[in-house]
Amino acid sequence: MPELPTLPSNIIILMEMLRDTRTPASEAIQRIEQDQVLSARVLKLVNSSYYSTAYGVASIAHAVALLGYEEIWKLVVSSAAMELISANDLNLWLHSYTSSILMKELTEAEGINCSSKIQLTMLMHEIGKIVLLNYNLKAYRKVQNSLIEDSTMAHTVEEAQLGVNHAEVGAWLLESWALDEEQVLPIAQHHCTALPDLYATETILIKLVDYLDHAARGHRCPPPEVEELESIGLGDLDQERWLQEHQARISELKLSDQPQSRARD
């Protein structure tokens, strides 16, 4: 099994604090503000297209008071995930970021009953690729070259050449970060052909949004089966409309939403 990236100790402590509703707000605010880089990332994120808050948030204290612990927890984890992805693969970061925005808009507009963490889960749905890339750069470049040469999907080539796919590795990573089953399982399952018993709605949503974002960029990606969409009440979803709107959204993303770190060569 590849060595899994660990979260910084201050992030781990902060995640535990935010999960405990008994934690005084002053302590949570102080813990975030002690890390100037994290503070800047959280504030940038909460004021970006990713979060789409209706208010300008100028301080961590304001963010905590306005959003509450659960939302701040999501922002902290989002920040850590974005840093890991953007520092290694800019194209993957862009796909992950715009997919997460689409997930938020689609689930809200269609009134879908699903996990409150589905946007964050979507952001991290391909984070396993970063683990594989760092585990064996030469082998993973070979996987990427194989994808250019034929029409085989990434997870199939990964399994053939590495013995494991990015969905499985991503799930291992999030499990090691102590994330909940409602995030771990949909990521592990999103390339499975059989309909899962647990978190089927979240898994199918990831398949759907992954397909729409790839299609909006002109990339190859199989859509979810009609039966899958029908099973979660989206059999009549106007996918073409969502695709066109998402293409426009991608082209309109502000430069300020882009990561500052450079992609790995």
Side-chain angles (χ1 to χ4, degrees):
M1 180 172 127
E3 183 177 348
L4 301 176
T6 57
L7 291 170
S9 58
N10 64 315
I11 297 290
I12 295 173
I13 294 170
L14 183 56
M15 287 170 64
E16 292 174 351
M17 291 175 67
L18 293 170
R19 276 178 160 158
D20 185 352
T21 56
R22 297 169 298 179
T23 300
S26 58
E27 291 184 14
I29 293 167
Q30 183 180 33
R31 171 64 65 172
I32 299 172
E33 289 180 337
Q34 284 174 349
D35 187 331
Q36 294 183 359
V37 174
L38 176 62
S39 295
R41 287 181 192 152
V42 168
L43 289 175
K44 180 178 180 180
L45 199 53
V46 78
N47 287 297
S48 73
S49 301
Y50 176 80
Y51 201 81
S52 301
T53 180
Y55 307 93
V57 179
S59 69
I60 295 300
H62 184 194
V64 171
L66 178 66
L67 304 175
Y69 280 5
E70 181 178 354
E71 294 301 316
I72 295 297
W73 181 92
K74 292 178 194 176
L75 287 168
V76 168
V77 178
S78 297
S79 173
M82 285 183 173
E83 175 62 17
L84 176 62
I85 297 170
S86 65
N88 287 273
D89 190 324
L90 179 58
N91 287 330
L92 183 59
W93 182 89
L94 291 169
H95 166 57
S96 302
Y97 181 70
T98 54
S99 293
S100 67
I101 293 174
L102 175 57
M103 178 66 83
K104 177 181 172 67
E105 297 198 355
L106 188 147
T107 52
E108 290 180 353
E110 299 294 334
I112 302 169
N113 183 20
C114 61
S115 165
S116 64
K117 296 176 180 143
I118 190 64
Q119 182 184 12
L120 174 56
T121 305
M122 192 70 220
L123 177 71
M124 301 186 291
H125 76 287
E126 291 196 335
I127 201 168
K129 289 183 177 180
I130 301 302
V131 179
L132 293 174
L133 182 69
N134 284 295
Y135 173 62
N136 191 327
L137 177 60
K138 184 176 180 180
Y140 202 72
R141 290 302 189 210
K142 187 177 178 181
V143 169
Q144 292 175 321
N145 290 335
S146 297
L147 296 175
I148 296 172
E149 295 169 3
D150 60 46
S151 59
T152 309
M153 298 310 300
H155 66 282
T156 304
V157 179
E158 290 163 354
E159 289 168 359
Q161 298 193 16
L162 303 175
V164 68
N165 67 55
H166 66 269
E168 296 169 317
V169 175
W172 295 342
L173 176 62
L174 301 191
E175 199 169 32
S176 76
W177 286 2
L179 267 62
D180 297 331
E181 190 179 62
E182 66 183 294
Q183 296 181 277
V184 173
L185 285 182
I187 287 177
Q189 297 167 164
H190 79 274
H191 284 304
C192 296
T193 53
L195 194 64
D197 295 326
L198 296 174
Y199 300 105
T201 297
E202 289 76 14
T203 303
I204 294 167
L205 284 171
I206 290 176
K207 288 185 179 183
L208 171 62
V209 173
D210 193 30
Y211 158 69
L212 289 172
D213 189 83
H214 276 300
R217 298 175 182 280
H219 299 163
R220 185 179 66 254
C221 183
E225 299 292 337
V226 173
E227 294 80 6
E228 291 179 315
L229 294 176
E230 289 177 343
S231 72
I232 62 171
L234 293 179
D236 295 326
L237 182 73
D238 189 346
Q239 294 186 42
E240 186 59 33
R241 177 178 68 82
W242 278 103
L243 177 59
Q244 292 177 0
E245 290 180 358
H246 192 52
Q247 287 173 325
R249 181 184 299 109
I250 288 173
S251 66
E252 292 170 0
L253 276 178
K254 298 180 296 183
L255 184 62
S256 60
D257 286 345
Q258 305 297 317
Q260 299 302 309
S261 42
R262 298 183 60 181
R264 178 173 178 162
D265 294 331

